[in-house]
């Protein structure tokens, strides 16, 4: 009995592996996108915290407004 492979696996092996810099750039892009998405979610969560808990964190509503007004790529 012979093993079968998916057609995509055969065609993908024809091209071989990508050179090192391209793999590294792909990983960096994915990490950057993940960081931006995480930052976006954190700001959404921060916007939902009530004033009593903000006081416990040492933040004012103005601090929260300023942070939530930033774009997702801004630290």
């Amino acid at each position: 009995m012979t093993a079968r492979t998916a057609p995509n696996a055969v065609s993908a092996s024809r091209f071989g592996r990508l050179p090192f810099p391209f793999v590294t750039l792909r990983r960096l892009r994915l990490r950057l996108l993940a960081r931006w998405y995480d930052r976006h979610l954190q700001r959404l969560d921060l916007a939902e915290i009530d004033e009593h808990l903000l006081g416990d964190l040492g933040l004012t509503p103005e601090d929260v407004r300023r942070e939530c007004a930033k774009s997702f790529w801004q630290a």
Side-chain angles (χ1 to χ4, degrees):
M1 184 171 257
T2 61
R4 295 183 184 201
T5 58
N8 293 339
V10 174
S11 63
S13 65
R14 178 175 34 154
F15 297 108
R17 300 184 72 183
L18 291 172
F20 175 73
F22 292 112
V23 174
T24 304
L25 286 176
R26 181 181 300 165
R27 287 181 187 156
L28 288 174
R29 282 188 214 131
L30 288 175
R31 268 194 270 161
L32 182 62
L33 289 174
R35 183 180 306 143
W36 284 350
Y37 185 65
D38 186 47
R39 191 176 293 156
H40 170 72
L41 293 178
Q42 288 177 12
R43 288 180 179 152
L44 288 177
D45 290 339
L46 181 63
E48 294 179 0
I49 297 176
D50 64 349
E51 289 188 33
H52 174 71
L53 292 176
L54 288 177
D56 289 346
L57 294 172
L59 298 174
T60 65
E62 180 59 34
D63 294 335
V64 172
R65 278 192 288 278
R66 192 176 317 115
E67 185 64 29
C68 293
K70 293 180 182 179
S71 297
F72 63 89
W73 63 83
Q74 294 175 320

